[in-house]
Coordinates of all heavy atoms in Angstrom, one line a residue:
M1 N -2.0 -13.7 -52.4 CA -2.2 -14.0 -50.9 C -0.8 -14.3 -50.3 O -0.3 -15.3 -50.5 CB -3.1 -15.2 -50.7 CG -4.5 -14.7 -50.5 SD -5.3 -15.9 -49.6 CE -6.5 -16.4 -50.8
G2 N -0.3 -13.3 -49.8 CA 1.0 -13.5 -49.2 C 1.0 -14.4 -48.0 O 0.1 -14.3 -47.1
R3 N 1.8 -15.4 -48.1 CA 1.9 -16.3 -46.9 C 2.5 -15.5 -45.8 O 3.5 -14.8 -46.0 CB 2.8 -17.5 -47.3 CG 2.1 -18.7 -47.0 CD 3.0 -19.9 -47.4 NE 4.1 -20.1 -46.4 CZ 5.0 -21.0 -46.5 NH1 5.0 -21.8 -47.5 NH2 5.9 -21.2 -45.6
R4 N 2.0 -15.7 -44.7 CA 2.6 -15.0 -43.6 C 3.9 -15.6 -43.3 O 4.1 -16.8 -43.2 CB 1.7 -15.3 -42.3 CG 0.9 -14.1 -42.0 CD 0.5 -14.2 -40.6 NE -0.3 -13.0 -40.2 CZ -0.9 -12.9 -39.1 NH1 -0.8 -13.8 -38.2 NH2 -1.6 -11.8 -38.8
K5 N 4.9 -14.7 -43.2 CA 6.2 -15.2 -42.8 C 6.1 -15.8 -41.4 O 5.5 -15.1 -40.5 CB 7.2 -14.0 -42.8 CG 8.0 -14.0 -44.0 CD 9.1 -13.0 -43.8 CE 9.6 -12.4 -45.1 NZ 10.5 -11.3 -44.9
S6 N 6.6 -16.9 -41.3 CA 6.5 -17.5 -40.0 C 7.6 -16.8 -39.1 O 8.8 -17.0 -39.3 CB 6.7 -19.0 -40.0 OG 7.9 -19.3 -40.5
K7 N 7.1 -16.0 -38.3 CA 8.0 -15.3 -37.3 C 8.5 -16.3 -36.3 O 7.6 -17.0 -35.7 CB 7.3 -14.2 -36.7 CG 7.6 -12.9 -37.4 CD 7.2 -11.7 -36.5 CE 5.8 -11.2 -37.0 NZ 5.3 -10.2 -36.1
R8 N 9.7 -16.4 -36.2 CA 10.2 -17.3 -35.1 C 10.1 -16.5 -33.8 O 10.7 -15.5 -33.6 CB 11.6 -17.7 -35.4 CG 11.7 -19.2 -35.2 CD 13.1 -19.7 -34.9 NE 13.9 -19.6 -36.1 CZ 15.2 -19.8 -36.0 NH1 15.8 -20.1 -34.9 NH2 15.9 -19.7 -37.1
R9 N 9.3 -17.0 -33.0 CA 9.1 -16.3 -31.7 C 10.0 -17.0 -30.7 O 9.7 -18.1 -30.3 CB 7.7 -16.4 -31.3 CG 6.8 -15.4 -31.9 CD 5.5 -15.4 -31.2 NE 4.8 -14.2 -31.4 CZ 3.6 -14.0 -30.9 NH1 3.0 -15.0 -30.3 NH2 2.9 -12.9 -31.1
I10 N 10.9 -16.2 -30.3 CA 11.7 -16.7 -29.2 C 11.2 -16.0 -27.9 O 11.5 -14.9 -27.7 CB 13.2 -16.5 -29.4 CG1 13.6 -17.1 -30.7 CG2 14.0 -17.0 -28.2 CD1 15.0 -16.8 -31.1
R11 N 10.5 -16.8 -27.2 CA 10.0 -16.2 -26.0 C 10.6 -16.8 -24.8 O 10.5 -18.0 -24.6 CB 8.5 -16.4 -25.9 CG 7.8 -15.2 -26.3 CD 6.5 -15.1 -25.5 NE 5.8 -13.9 -25.9 CZ 4.5 -13.7 -25.7 NH1 3.8 -14.7 -25.1 NH2 3.9 -12.6 -26.1
V12 N 11.2 -16.0 -24.0 CA 11.7 -16.6 -22.7 C 10.6 -16.8 -21.8 O 9.8 -15.9 -21.5 CB 12.7 -15.6 -22.1 CG1 13.3 -16.2 -20.8 CG2 13.8 -15.3 -23.1
R13 N 10.5 -18.0 -21.4 CA 9.4 -18.3 -20.5 C 9.6 -17.6 -19.1 O 10.7 -17.7 -18.6 CB 9.4 -19.8 -20.2 CG 8.6 -20.5 -21.3 CD 8.4 -21.9 -20.8 NE 7.1 -22.5 -21.2 CZ 6.6 -23.5 -20.7 NH1 7.2 -24.1 -19.7 NH2 5.4 -24.0 -21.1
P14 N 8.6 -17.0 -18.6 CA 8.8 -16.4 -17.3 C 9.1 -17.5 -16.3 O 8.5 -18.6 -16.4 CB 7.5 -15.7 -17.0 CG 6.5 -16.3 -18.0 CD 7.2 -16.8 -19.2
R15 N 10.0 -17.2 -15.5 CA 10.3 -18.1 -14.4 C 9.1 -18.3 -13.5 O 8.3 -17.4 -13.3 CB 11.5 -17.6 -13.6 CG 12.8 -17.8 -14.4 CD 13.9 -17.3 -13.6 NE 15.1 -17.0 -14.4 CZ 16.1 -16.3 -14.1 NH1 16.2 -15.8 -12.8 NH2 17.1 -16.1 -14.9
R16 N 9.1 -19.5 -12.9 CA 7.9 -19.7 -12.1 C 7.8 -18.7 -10.9 O 6.8 -18.3 -10.5 CB 8.0 -21.2 -11.5 CG 7.2 -22.1 -12.4 CD 7.2 -23.4 -11.8 NE 8.5 -24.0 -11.8 CZ 8.9 -25.1 -11.2 NH1 8.0 -25.8 -10.6 NH2 10.1 -25.6 -11.2
T17 N 9.0 -18.4 -10.4 CA 9.0 -17.4 -9.3 C 9.8 -16.2 -9.8 O 10.9 -16.3 -10.2 CB 9.6 -18.0 -8.1 OG1 10.9 -18.5 -8.4 CG2 8.7 -19.0 -7.4
L18 N 9.1 -15.1 -9.7 CA 9.8 -13.8 -10.0 C 10.9 -13.5 -9.0 O 10.7 -13.9 -7.8 CB 8.8 -12.7 -10.1 CG 7.9 -12.7 -11.3 CD1 6.7 -11.7 -11.0 CD2 8.6 -12.3 -12.5
P19 N 12.0 -12.9 -9.4 CA 13.0 -12.6 -8.4 C 12.4 -11.6 -7.4 O 11.9 -10.5 -7.8 CB 14.1 -12.0 -9.2 CG 13.5 -11.6 -10.5 CD 12.4 -12.5 -10.8
K20 N 12.4 -12.0 -6.2 CA 11.8 -11.1 -5.2 C 12.8 -10.8 -4.1 O 12.4 -10.2 -3.1 CB 10.6 -11.7 -4.6 CG 9.4 -11.4 -5.5 CD 8.1 -11.8 -4.8 CE 6.9 -11.5 -5.6 NZ 5.7 -12.1 -5.1
V21 N 14.0 -11.3 -4.2 CA 15.0 -11.1 -3.2 C 16.1 -10.3 -3.7 O 16.7 -10.6 -4.8 CB 15.4 -12.5 -2.6 CG1 16.4 -12.2 -1.4 CG2 14.3 -13.3 -2.1
F22 N 16.4 -9.2 -3.1 CA 17.4 -8.3 -3.6 C 18.5 -8.1 -2.6 O 18.4 -8.5 -1.4 CB 16.7 -7.0 -3.9 CG 15.6 -7.1 -4.9 CD1 14.3 -7.2 -4.4 CD2 15.8 -7.2 -6.2 CE1 13.2 -7.4 -5.2 CE2 14.7 -7.4 -7.1 CZ 13.4 -7.5 -6.6
Q23 N 19.5 -7.4 -3.1 CA 20.7 -7.1 -2.2 C 20.4 -5.9 -1.4 O 19.9 -4.8 -1.8 CB 21.9 -6.9 -3.0 CG 23.2 -6.9 -2.2 CD 24.4 -6.9 -3.0 OE1 24.5 -6.5 -4.2 NE2 25.5 -7.3 -2.4
C24 N 20.8 -6.0 -0.1 CA 20.6 -4.9 0.8 C 21.7 -3.8 0.7 O 22.9 -4.2 0.6 CB 20.6 -5.4 2.2 SG 20.5 -4.2 3.5
P25 N 21.3 -2.5 0.6 CA 22.3 -1.5 0.5 C 23.1 -1.3 1.7 O 24.2 -0.6 1.7 CB 21.5 -0.3 0.1 CG 20.1 -0.5 0.7 CD 20.0 -2.0 0.6
R26 N 22.6 -1.7 2.9 CA 23.3 -1.5 4.1 C 24.2 -2.6 4.5 O 25.4 -2.4 4.8 CB 22.3 -1.3 5.3 CG 22.9 -0.8 6.5 CD 22.0 -0.2 7.5 NE 21.2 -1.2 8.2 CZ 20.3 -0.8 9.1 NH1 20.1 0.4 9.4 NH2 19.5 -1.8 9.7
C27 N 23.7 -3.8 4.5 CA 24.6 -4.9 4.9 C 25.1 -5.8 3.8 O 26.0 -6.6 4.0 CB 23.8 -5.8 5.9 SG 22.5 -6.8 5.2
G28 N 24.6 -5.6 2.6 CA 25.1 -6.3 1.4 C 24.6 -7.7 1.2 O 24.9 -8.3 0.3
A29 N 23.8 -8.1 2.2 CA 23.2 -9.5 2.0 C 22.1 -9.5 1.0 O 21.3 -8.5 0.9 CB 22.7 -10.0 3.4
V30 N 22.0 -10.6 0.3 CA 20.9 -10.7 -0.6 C 19.7 -11.3 0.1 O 19.4 -12.5 0.1 CB 21.3 -11.6 -1.8 CG1 20.1 -11.7 -2.8 CG2 22.5 -11.0 -2.5
S31 N 19.1 -10.5 0.9 CA 18.0 -10.9 1.8 C 16.9 -9.9 1.9 O 16.2 -9.9 2.9 CB 18.6 -11.3 3.1 OG 19.3 -10.3 3.7
V32 N 16.8 -9.0 0.9 CA 15.8 -8.0 1.0 C 14.6 -8.6 0.2 O 14.7 -8.9 -1.0 CB 16.2 -6.7 0.3 CG1 15.1 -5.7 0.2 CG2 17.4 -6.1 1.1
S33 N 13.5 -8.7 0.9 CA 12.3 -9.2 0.3 C 11.2 -8.2 0.2 O 11.1 -7.3 1.0 CB 11.8 -10.4 1.1 OG 11.5 -10.1 2.4
V34 N 10.4 -8.3 -0.9 CA 9.3 -7.4 -1.1 C 8.0 -8.1 -0.9 O 7.7 -9.1 -1.6 CB 9.4 -6.8 -2.6 CG1 8.3 -5.9 -2.9 CG2 10.7 -6.1 -2.8
T35 N 7.2 -7.6 0.0 CA 6.0 -8.3 0.3 C 4.8 -7.3 0.1 O 4.8 -6.2 0.6 CB 5.9 -8.7 1.8 OG1 7.1 -9.4 2.1 CG2 4.7 -9.5 2.1
V36 N 3.9 -7.7 -0.8 CA 2.8 -6.9 -1.1 C 1.6 -7.2 -0.2 O 1.2 -8.3 0.0 CB 2.3 -7.1 -2.6 CG1 1.1 -6.2 -2.9 CG2 3.4 -6.7 -3.5
D37 N 1.2 -6.2 0.5 CA 0.0 -6.3 1.4 C -1.1 -5.6 0.8 O -1.3 -4.4 1.0 CB 0.4 -5.8 2.8 CG -0.7 -6.1 3.8 OD1 -1.9 -6.3 3.4 OD2 -0.4 -6.2 5.0
K38 N -1.9 -6.3 -0.1 CA -3.0 -5.6 -0.8 C -4.1 -5.1 0.2 O -4.8 -4.1 -0.1 CB -3.6 -6.5 -1.9 CG -2.6 -6.6 -3.0 CD -3.2 -7.4 -4.2 CE -2.2 -7.6 -5.2 NZ -2.7 -8.4 -6.3
G39 N -4.3 -5.8 1.2 CA -5.3 -5.4 2.2 C -5.0 -4.1 2.8 O -5.9 -3.2 2.9
E40 N -3.7 -3.8 3.1 CA -3.4 -2.5 3.6 C -3.0 -1.5 2.5 O -2.9 -0.3 2.8 CB -2.1 -2.7 4.5 CG -2.5 -3.1 5.9 CD -1.2 -3.1 6.8 OE1 -0.8 -2.0 7.2 OE2 -0.6 -4.2 6.9
G41 N -2.8 -2.1 1.3 CA -2.4 -1.2 0.3 C -0.9 -0.7 0.4 O -0.6 0.3 0.0
L42 N -0.2 -1.6 1.1 CA 1.2 -1.3 1.3 C 2.1 -2.4 0.8 O 1.7 -3.5 0.7 CB 1.4 -1.1 2.8 CG 0.9 0.1 3.5 CD1 1.1 0.0 5.0 CD2 1.5 1.4 3.0
V43 N 3.3 -2.0 0.6 CA 4.4 -2.9 0.2 C 5.5 -2.8 1.2 O 6.0 -1.7 1.5 CB 4.9 -2.6 -1.2 CG1 6.0 -3.6 -1.6 CG2 3.8 -2.8 -2.2
H44 N 5.8 -3.9 1.8 CA 6.9 -3.9 2.8 C 8.1 -4.4 2.2 O 8.2 -5.5 1.6 CB 6.5 -4.9 4.0 CG 5.2 -4.6 4.6 ND1 4.9 -3.4 5.3 CD2 4.0 -5.3 4.5 CE1 3.6 -3.5 5.7 NE2 3.1 -4.6 5.2
V45 N 9.2 -3.7 2.3 CA 10.5 -4.1 1.8 C 11.4 -4.2 3.1 O 11.6 -3.3 3.8 CB 11.1 -3.0 0.9 CG1 12.4 -3.5 0.3 CG2 10.1 -2.7 -0.3
V46 N 11.8 -5.4 3.3 CA 12.5 -5.7 4.5 C 13.8 -6.5 4.2 O 13.8 -7.5 3.5 CB 11.6 -6.5 5.5 CG1 12.4 -6.8 6.8 CG2 10.4 -5.8 5.8
C47 N 14.9 -6.2 4.9 CA 16.1 -7.0 4.8 C 16.1 -7.9 6.0 O 16.0 -7.5 7.2 CB 17.3 -6.1 4.9 SG 18.8 -7.1 5.0
A48 N 16.1 -9.2 5.7 CA 16.0 -10.2 6.7 C 17.3 -10.3 7.5 O 17.4 -10.9 8.6 CB 15.7 -11.6 6.2
S49 N 18.3 -9.7 7.0 CA 19.6 -9.9 7.6 C 19.9 -8.8 8.6 O 20.3 -9.1 9.7 CB 20.7 -9.8 6.5 OG 22.0 -10.0 7.1
C50 N 19.7 -7.5 8.2 CA 20.0 -6.4 9.2 C 18.7 -5.7 9.7 O 18.8 -4.9 10.6 CB 20.9 -5.4 8.6 SG 20.2 -4.4 7.3
G51 N 17.6 -6.0 9.1 CA 16.3 -5.4 9.6 C 16.0 -4.1 9.0 O 15.0 -3.5 9.4
L52 N 16.8 -3.6 8.1 CA 16.4 -2.4 7.4 C 15.1 -2.6 6.7 O 14.9 -3.6 6.0 CB 17.5 -2.1 6.3 CG 17.4 -0.8 5.5 CD1 17.6 0.4 6.5 CD2 18.4 -0.7 4.4
A53 N 14.2 -1.6 6.9 CA 12.8 -1.8 6.3 C 12.2 -0.5 5.9 O 12.5 0.5 6.5 CB 11.9 -2.5 7.4
E54 N 11.4 -0.6 4.9 CA 10.6 0.6 4.4 C 9.3 0.1 3.9 O 9.1 -1.0 3.4 CB 11.3 1.2 3.2 CG 12.6 2.0 3.5 CD 12.3 3.3 4.3 OE1 11.2 3.9 4.2 OE2 13.3 3.8 4.9
D55 N 8.3 0.9 4.1 CA 7.0 0.6 3.6 C 6.6 1.6 2.5 O 7.0 2.8 2.6 CB 5.9 0.8 4.7 CG 5.9 -0.4 5.7 OD1 6.6 -1.4 5.4 OD2 5.3 -0.2 6.7
F56 N 6.0 1.1 1.4 CA 5.6 1.9 0.3 C 4.2 1.7 0.0 O 3.6 0.6 0.2 CB 6.5 1.7 -0.9 CG 7.9 1.9 -0.7 CD1 8.8 0.8 -0.4 CD2 8.5 3.1 -0.6 CE1 10.1 1.0 -0.2 CE2 9.8 3.3 -0.4 CZ 10.6 2.3 -0.2
E57 N 3.6 2.7 -0.6 CA 2.2 2.6 -1.1 C 2.1 1.6 -2.2 O 3.0 1.7 -3.1 CB 1.7 4.0 -1.5 CG 0.3 4.2 -1.2 CD -0.1 5.6 -1.7 OE1 0.6 6.6 -1.3 OE2 -1.0 5.8 -2.5
Y58 N 1.2 0.7 -2.2 CA 1.0 -0.3 -3.3 C 0.5 0.4 -4.5 O -0.5 1.1 -4.5 CB 0.1 -1.4 -2.8 CG -0.2 -2.4 -3.9 CD1 0.8 -3.2 -4.4 CD2 -1.5 -2.5 -4.5 CE1 0.5 -4.1 -5.4 CE2 -1.8 -3.3 -5.5 CZ -0.8 -4.2 -6.0 OH -1.0 -5.0 -7.0
R59 N 1.2 0.1 -5.6 CA 0.7 0.5 -6.9 C 0.7 -0.7 -7.8 O 1.7 -1.4 -8.0 CB 1.7 1.6 -7.5 CG 1.9 2.8 -6.7 CD 1.1 3.9 -7.3 NE 1.4 5.2 -6.6 CZ 0.5 5.7 -5.8 NH1 -0.7 5.1 -5.6 NH2 0.8 6.8 -5.1
E60 N -0.4 -0.8 -8.5 CA -0.6 -2.0 -9.3 C 0.4 -2.2 -10.4 O 0.7 -3.3 -10.8 CB -2.0 -1.9 -10.0 CG -3.0 -3.0 -9.6 CD -4.3 -2.7 -10.2 OE1 -4.5 -3.2 -11.3 OE2 -5.2 -2.1 -9.6
Y61 N 0.8 -1.1 -10.9 CA 1.7 -1.1 -12.1 C 3.2 -1.3 -11.7 O 4.0 -1.3 -12.6 CB 1.5 0.1 -13.0 CG 1.6 1.4 -12.3 CD1 2.9 2.0 -12.1 CD2 0.5 2.0 -11.8 CE1 3.0 3.2 -11.4 CE2 0.6 3.2 -11.1 CZ 1.8 3.8 -10.9 OH 1.9 5.0 -10.3
L62 N 3.5 -1.3 -10.5 CA 4.9 -1.4 -10.1 C 5.2 -2.9 -9.8 O 4.4 -3.7 -9.4 CB 5.2 -0.6 -8.8 CG 5.2 0.9 -9.0 CD1 5.5 1.6 -7.7 CD2 6.1 1.4 -10.1
H63 N 6.5 -3.2 -10.1 CA 7.0 -4.5 -9.8 C 7.8 -4.5 -8.6 O 8.3 -3.5 -8.2 CB 7.8 -5.0 -11.0 CG 7.0 -5.1 -12.3 ND1 6.1 -6.1 -12.6 CD2 6.9 -4.2 -13.4 CE1 5.5 -5.9 -13.7 NE2 6.0 -4.8 -14.2
P64 N 8.0 -5.7 -8.1 CA 8.9 -5.8 -6.9 C 10.2 -5.0 -7.0 O 10.7 -4.3 -6.1 CB 9.1 -7.3 -6.7 CG 7.9 -7.9 -7.2 CD 7.5 -7.0 -8.4
V65 N 10.8 -5.1 -8.2 CA 12.1 -4.4 -8.4 C 11.9 -2.9 -8.3 O 12.9 -2.2 -7.9 CB 12.7 -4.9 -9.8 CG1 11.9 -4.3 -10.9 CG2 14.1 -4.5 -9.9
D66 N 10.7 -2.4 -8.6 CA 10.5 -1.0 -8.5 C 10.5 -0.5 -7.1 O 11.0 0.5 -6.7 CB 9.2 -0.6 -9.2 CG 9.2 -0.9 -10.7 OD1 10.2 -0.6 -11.3 OD2 8.2 -1.4 -11.2
Y67 N 9.9 -1.4 -6.2 CA 9.9 -1.0 -4.8 C 11.3 -1.1 -4.3 O 11.7 -0.4 -3.4 CB 8.9 -2.0 -4.1 CG 7.5 -1.8 -4.5 CD1 6.9 -2.8 -5.3 CD2 6.8 -0.7 -4.1 CE1 5.6 -2.6 -5.7 CE2 5.5 -0.5 -4.5 CZ 4.9 -1.5 -5.3 OH 3.6 -1.3 -5.7
Y68 N 12.0 -2.1 -4.8 CA 13.4 -2.2 -4.4 C 14.2 -1.0 -4.7 O 15.0 -0.5 -3.9 CB 14.0 -3.4 -5.0 CG 15.5 -3.6 -4.8 CD1 16.0 -3.7 -3.5 CD2 16.4 -3.5 -5.8 CE1 17.4 -3.8 -3.2 CE2 17.8 -3.7 -5.6 CZ 18.2 -3.8 -4.3 OH 19.6 -3.9 -4.1
A69 N 13.9 -0.4 -5.9 CA 14.6 0.8 -6.3 C 14.2 2.0 -5.4 O 15.1 2.8 -5.0 CB 14.2 1.2 -7.7
K70 N 12.9 2.0 -5.0 CA 12.5 3.0 -4.0 C 13.2 2.8 -2.7 O 13.6 3.8 -2.0 CB 11.0 2.9 -3.8 CG 10.1 3.5 -4.9 CD 8.7 3.0 -4.6 CE 7.7 3.6 -5.5 NZ 7.3 4.9 -5.1
F71 N 13.3 1.6 -2.3 CA 14.0 1.2 -1.1 C 15.4 1.7 -1.1 O 15.9 2.3 -0.1 CB 14.0 -0.3 -1.0 CG 14.6 -0.9 0.2 CD1 14.0 -0.8 1.5 CD2 15.8 -1.6 0.1 CE1 14.6 -1.4 2.6 CE2 16.4 -2.2 1.2 CZ 15.8 -2.1 2.5
L72 N 16.1 1.5 -2.2 CA 17.5 2.0 -2.3 C 17.5 3.6 -2.2 O 18.4 4.1 -1.5 CB 18.1 1.6 -3.7 CG 18.4 0.1 -3.9 CD1 19.0 -0.1 -5.2 CD2 19.3 -0.4 -2.8
D73 N 16.6 4.2 -2.9 CA 16.5 5.7 -2.9 C 16.3 6.1 -1.4 O 16.9 7.1 -1.0 CB 15.3 6.2 -3.7 CG 15.7 6.1 -5.2 OD1 16.8 5.8 -5.5 OD2 14.8 6.3 -6.0
A74 N 15.3 5.5 -0.8 CA 15.0 5.9 0.6 C 16.2 5.7 1.5 O 16.6 6.6 2.3 CB 13.9 5.1 1.1
Y75 N 16.9 4.6 1.3 CA 18.1 4.4 2.1 C 19.2 5.4 1.9 O 19.8 6.0 2.8 CB 18.7 3.0 1.8 CG 19.9 2.7 2.6 CD1 19.9 2.5 4.0 CD2 21.2 2.8 1.9 CE1 21.1 2.3 4.7 CE2 22.3 2.5 2.7 CZ 22.3 2.3 4.0 OH 23.5 2.1 4.7
E76 N 19.4 5.7 0.6 CA 20.4 6.7 0.2 C 20.0 8.1 0.8 O 20.9 8.9 1.2 CB 20.6 6.8 -1.3 CG 21.6 5.7 -1.7 CD 21.7 5.6 -3.2 OE1 21.5 6.6 -3.9 OE2 22.1 4.5 -3.7
A77 N 18.8 8.4 0.7 CA 18.3 9.7 1.2 C 18.6 9.8 2.7 O 19.0 10.9 3.2 CB 16.8 9.9 0.9
Q78 N 18.3 8.7 3.4 CA 18.6 8.7 4.8 C 20.0 8.8 5.1 O 20.5 9.5 6.0 CB 18.0 7.4 5.4 CG 16.6 7.5 5.8 CD 16.0 6.1 6.1 OE1 16.8 5.2 6.5 NE2 14.7 5.9 5.9
A79 N 20.8 8.1 4.3 CA 22.3 8.1 4.5 C 22.8 9.5 4.3 O 23.7 10.0 5.0 CB 22.9 7.1 3.6
A80 N 22.2 10.2 3.2 CA 22.7 11.5 2.8 C 22.3 12.5 3.9 O 23.0 13.5 4.1 CB 22.1 11.9 1.5
A81 N 21.2 12.2 4.6 CA 20.7 13.1 5.6 C 21.6 13.0 6.9 O 21.5 13.8 7.8 CB 19.3 12.8 6.0
G82 N 22.5 12.1 6.8 CA 23.5 11.9 7.9 C 22.9 11.4 9.2 O 23.1 12.0 10.2
A83 N 22.1 10.4 9.0 CA 21.4 9.8 10.2 C 22.4 9.5 11.4 O 23.5 9.1 11.2 CB 20.7 8.5 9.8
Ligands
ZN1 ZN1 20.5 -5.6 5.3

């Protein structure tokens, strides 16, 4: 009967609050917040500093950082379009 090797589990405890504030690609301020609106099935990504905003469809498996990535993509696409 092999004794189970006691695996040392080093688990980083999740922080009480997930990081939900990100850096804005336009103004550089760390004031971009991701708000999930499950009622509407939308996620609002808004920079509180310059007002840059995008809405995305809510997906259960996505994390705030994923919406932030979309937000960056959308911003770059707009910038590339030469707004
Ligand atoms: Zn901004």
